[in-house]
Amino acid sequence: MIIEPKIRGFVCITAHPAGCAKKVADEIAVAKASPLESGPKKVLVIGSSTGYGLSSRITAAFSSGADTLGVFFERPSAKGKPASAGWYNTVAFENEAHAAGLYAKSINGDAFSNEIKANVIQTIKEDWGTVDCVIYSLASPKRIDPVDGTVYKSCLKPIETSFTNTSLDTNKGLVESVSIEPANEEDIKNTVKVMGGEDWELWMEALSEAGVLTSQTKTVAYSYIGPEVTWPVYKNGTIGTAKLDVERASRAIHEKYGIEAYVSVNKAVVTQASSAIPVVPLYISILFKIMKAKGTHEGCIEQIVRLFKDHLYGGSLNLDEAGRIRVDDWEMDSEIQAEVAAIWPKVTTENLRELSDFASYQKEFLELFGFGLEGIDYSEEVEVDLPIKGLIA
Ligand code: NAD
């Protein structure tokens, strides 16, 4: 069929397999250009199909030559309709990994569930014995408690006081004011349940009990801090509270299992998760313009290659005062942030394209779903029902 983008709110409900394959191939080329001498060889990535998790899987495989096991929650093609972007990304990743002679298997299902954890452990035991590195890169709006079936929903709200600031309607290109009412106790608790560190701890507990961790195993979860303009709704809001809990979990994992467990604070990039956060798309559009002019612009793959090469498996961990790895250092550079702060109050719908790089934001958003990539003929018929070769479940 011929596939066109169909955008609904913050997501595109269609995805293009050839475009996704091109984007994965581009990321693989970046990873290959940065080979790792002493990187991990058996890597589990939880949340491996899009964004930071996909780039982590690509870096593990193509910078470090690692065997990878990926876990994600994606929609296969059904009734002739296209699959989700993460499905096609994984099809493409596995095709390339297998062609390069690398082990790559995938598990599609709810990472919060006991079943998926058991499935992963069985696979690691049978195929690898132990695991060198566990990347935790889930971004989910909800979590079903594996014990009692309670459904928890996360939210993006400020705490204590309401928040009003400039935001961007990315579909219409309108700069407008947004007001968000503060979270109640339930909202905060639920967001911590979904996006906090509990599930990461459960994964590490299950892996430890199964005897597949070694004293050399490393684990990393991702976080974000960002500029003050987003703090009421991010760092000091419900999601920031959940991220603090992820930091608590990193210390607990280290203490319980004696392994290296880190939180890596990554930069703001266009992903399916970040496009849903109020204020962030406008901030990203302004940030891109400034970082591109300075030559420090990075996407997910450049960030993760730097994380592996300069911090986890080379260079120096260079932890901050709270014990976190900071690959958001170029974003948080004081000169960059001063420029963002100077532009922020001036930006309007009329000057949006002049003062920010909204064009790149829009392009990167479409690329997440395989659209707008160079070299792809979007008028051509494509097969939508593509299998993931190493799909276990
Ligand atoms: P994303 O939406 O691109 O990826 C989320 C991944 O989680 C996908 O692979 C998806 O399939 C998987 N997933 C979601 N629910 C699942 C479930 N129930 N079971 C199994 N898999 C599930 O998100 P992202 O932006 O790459 O975010 C990943 C992490 O990076 C998050 O912790 C996020 O806070 C952090 N981070 C993101 C940014 C940013 O700007 N996007 C910046 C810094 C840190």
Side-chain angles (χ1 to χ4, degrees):
M1 72 186 283
I2 292 170
I3 312 172
E4 290 179 350
K6 279 191 194 151
I7 296 170
R8 302 280 181 272
F10 308 120
V11 287
C12 179
I13 57 168
T14 52
H16 199 282
C20 289
K22 170 76 170 65
K23 194 161 179 296
V24 167
D26 290 347
E27 288 206 11
I28 288 173
V30 175
K32 275 186 177 167
S34 273
L36 271 175
E37 272 170 26
S38 51
K41 292 299 171 208
K42 292 171 285 187
V43 178
L44 166 64
V45 183
I46 303 158
S48 67
S49 55
T50 56
Y52 275 123
L54 173 65
S55 297
S56 304
R57 192 174 193 187
I58 289 173
T59 303
F62 290 97
S63 291
S64 188
D67 294 348
T68 59
L69 177 57
V71 181
F72 46 80
F73 213 0
E74 298 294 344
R75 190 188 69 237
S77 161
K79 297 181 188 160
K81 289 197 177 139
S84 59
W87 181 274
Y88 289 140
N89 289 339
T90 307
V91 169
F93 169 82
E94 286 214 3
N95 286 346
E96 298 265 6
H98 294 163
L102 296 169
Y103 169 112
K105 286 189 181 175
S106 297
I107 294 180
N108 187 28
D110 184 4
F112 296 121
S113 70
N114 292 335
E115 292 74 20
I116 293 296
K117 289 182 176 75
N119 212 329
V120 164
I121 284 166
Q122 192 188 338
T123 308
I124 292 176
K125 276 185 156 176
E126 283 172 10
D127 295 358
W128 294 347
T130 56
V131 60
D132 298 337
C133 177
V134 180
I135 301 287
Y136 189 85
S137 187
L138 288 190
S140 173
K142 69 169 189 185
R143 173 178 171 204
I144 302 171
D145 188 287
V147 178
D148 61 16
T150 310
V151 181
Y152 296 96
K153 288 190 179 161
S154 66
C155 66
L156 296 156
K157 288 186 183 177
I159 292 175
E160 283 178 8
T161 46
S162 62
F163 168 68
T164 302
N165 207 324
T166 315
S167 195
L168 174 61
D169 179 328
T170 48
N171 292 327
K172 297 183 187 143
L174 294 177
V175 178
E176 54 196 13
S177 175
V178 64
S179 289
I180 312 167
E181 288 306 306
N184 58 33
E185 283 304 314
E186 199 69 4
D187 290 332
I188 301 170
K189 206 183 87 201
N190 290 352
T191 306
V192 171
K193 265 280 179 192
V194 181
M195 288 300 286
E198 187 179 79
D199 182 60
W200 183 27
E201 287 179 282
L202 289 175
W203 269 100
M204 299 315 295
E205 182 179 69
L207 293 164
S208 170
E209 278 175 3
V212 298
L213 300 180
T214 73
S215 59
Q216 301 303 306
T217 305
K218 297 185 188 192
T219 183
V220 184
Y222 297 143
S223 186
Y224 183 63
I225 294 176
E228 276 187 45
V229 68
T230 64
W231 282 7
V233 74
Y234 200 97
K235 176 176 164 287
N236 299 337
T238 48
I239 183 73
T241 309
K243 291 298 187 186
L244 266 186
D245 189 62
V246 177
E247 290 178 26
R248 176 204 56 75
S250 74
R251 292 186 291 271
I253 291 167
H254 173 66
E255 275 159 31
K256 272 189 205 151
Y257 312 114
I259 60 167
E260 291 180 63
Y262 302 109
V263 167
S264 172
V265 183
N266 300 351
K267 89 176 266 273
V269 289
V270 184
T271 66
Q272 293 185 39
S274 69
S275 60
I277 307 174
V279 186
V280 166
L282 179 58
Y283 167 70
I284 289 180
S285 302
I286 297 172
L287 183 73
F288 276 15
K289 188 176 173 82
I290 298 165
M291 291 189 83
K292 278 185 183 173
K294 288 252 189 316
T296 56
H297 177 73
E298 292 177 302
C300 289
I301 190 69
E302 290 81 8
Q303 277 273 291
I304 301 299
V305 164
R306 205 148 66 80
L307 170 66
F308 274 57
K309 211 176 156 104
D310 294 354
H311 297 276
L312 282 178
Y313 295 101
S316 140
L317 282 166
N318 207 4
L319 303 178
D320 71 5
E321 71 295 343
R324 303 167 296 209
I325 297 172
R326 301 297 295 264
V327 280
D328 66 338
D329 47 352
W330 298 355
E331 168 185 358
M332 298 315 290
D333 175 83
S334 55
E335 270 182 34
I336 301 271
Q337 287 302 322
E339 287 189 45
V340 172
I343 290 175
W344 188 265
K346 294 186 200 149
V347 72
T348 62
T349 301
E350 290 68 38
N351 64 23
L352 174 67
R353 285 172 190 277
E354 184 199 328
L355 294 186
S356 83
D357 195 357
F358 181 48
S360 288
Y361 181 92
Q362 284 182 303
K363 185 171 184 318
E364 288 200 18
F365 179 78
L366 279 177
E367 284 178 2
L368 294 178
F369 305 93
F371 296 105
L373 284 124
E374 268 173 44
I376 305 295
D377 181 354
Y378 289 97
S379 64
E380 250 181 30
E381 296 268 347
V382 284
E383 173 59 52
V384 292
D385 191 4
L386 300 177
I388 293 172
K389 283 191 185 143
L391 191 72
I392 304 169

